[in-house]
Amino acid sequence: MLTIFNTIIGVILTGILGSYLTNKITFLFQNRSNINNIKIKKAEEQIKAISDLSLYIHKSSSSRRFAMLNLINALADDVCNLDEIRQEYRKKVKKWNIDLGSYNIELNALGFFNLARDRLENKVHENFVMAHNCLNSYIINKDKGVIKSDPKQLEKSNEFLNNVVKEKN
């Protein structure tokens, strides 16, 4: 009778204890798996945000660069619709200056403060400003008739633009 009792108790305890241990182990592994899945999802979202921001910065800077090159070429060729091209360039500069603040905020939010400050603000934007000042000086002096055509001024602006592209890469 004792062996039957021991067998029944053994089966019941094994079933209960085995179920409990199995559930506990399964819960721990599922919990770890869920935590890892959450980390992976957050990392994927951050990668997507960085990729999107990178694309926006690239498009915005390329748009401004194209507008400046278009204006430089128009000045060099002395085209008739120069005022339209200058107006388009002004729009691109204004858009870049507005977008630059939001790019810096987004980069800071993603933990890239040094990149925002050192590369975007102090390199890319600084080169845009120098190129803009050089181009502006050329336009002002040309309009005043001080210089008829100074290709060195245009080359200098283009050189700054090339530095901007090198800095982005």
Side-chain angles (χ1 to χ4, degrees):
M1 180 75 135
L2 188 60
T3 51
I4 294 176
F5 182 71
N6 282 343
T7 306
I8 294 173
I9 295 290
V11 170
I12 292 174
L13 285 179
T14 304
I16 293 172
L17 190 59
S19 296
Y20 175 76
L21 288 176
T22 303
N23 286 339
K24 195 68 166 168
I25 291 171
T26 303
F27 174 77
L28 290 174
F29 281 115
Q30 285 179 346
N31 195 21
R32 285 184 187 167
S33 177
N34 288 339
I35 290 171
N36 286 335
N37 287 340
I38 290 169
K39 287 179 183 178
I40 289 170
K41 186 161 179 73
K42 284 182 181 180
E44 287 173 348
E45 289 171 357
Q46 190 174 20
I47 289 170
K48 173 92 170 101
I50 292 169
S51 297
D52 290 346
L53 182 59
S54 171
L55 183 64
Y56 295 144
I57 292 171
H58 178 72
K59 283 181 179 180
S60 182
S61 63
S62 294
S63 176
R64 179 173 175 175
R65 184 176 190 277
F66 176 77
M68 182 175 264
L69 286 175
N70 198 17
L71 180 57
I72 290 171
N73 290 334
L75 287 168
D77 296 341
D78 209 21
V79 297
C80 60
N81 63 342
L82 187 61
D83 287 336
E84 290 175 26
I85 295 171
R86 286 180 71 181
Q87 199 65 354
E88 183 64 27
Y89 171 69
R90 286 183 189 116
K91 287 179 188 175
K92 297 297 180 183
V93 169
K94 187 178 281 188
K95 183 172 179 354
W96 167 261
N97 289 336
I98 291 169
D99 290 346
L100 182 63
S102 63
Y103 296 150
N104 284 329
I105 290 169
E106 288 184 48
L107 283 169
N108 287 334
L110 291 169
F112 294 107
F113 173 75
N114 290 334
L115 180 69
R117 185 192 65 221
D118 297 339
R119 301 286 288 170
L120 188 61
E121 191 72 37
N122 292 343
K123 300 285 183 172
V124 175
H125 184 65
E126 186 176 292
N127 283 334
F128 272 144
V129 169
M130 287 190 292
H132 176 79
N133 290 341
C134 184
L135 185 60
N136 197 32
S137 171
Y138 174 79
I139 291 170
I140 289 170
N141 290 330
K142 182 180 180 199
D143 287 345
K144 289 182 178 178
V146 175
I147 51 176
K148 300 252 183 204
S149 177
D150 186 2
K152 289 181 183 175
Q153 287 269 4
L154 295 175
E155 288 173 17
K156 190 174 180 183
S157 291
N158 208 9
E159 182 179 321
F160 283 126
L161 287 170
N162 288 332
N163 287 338
V164 169
V165 172
K166 288 178 190 173
E167 288 298 324
K168 281 185 7 185
N169 297 332

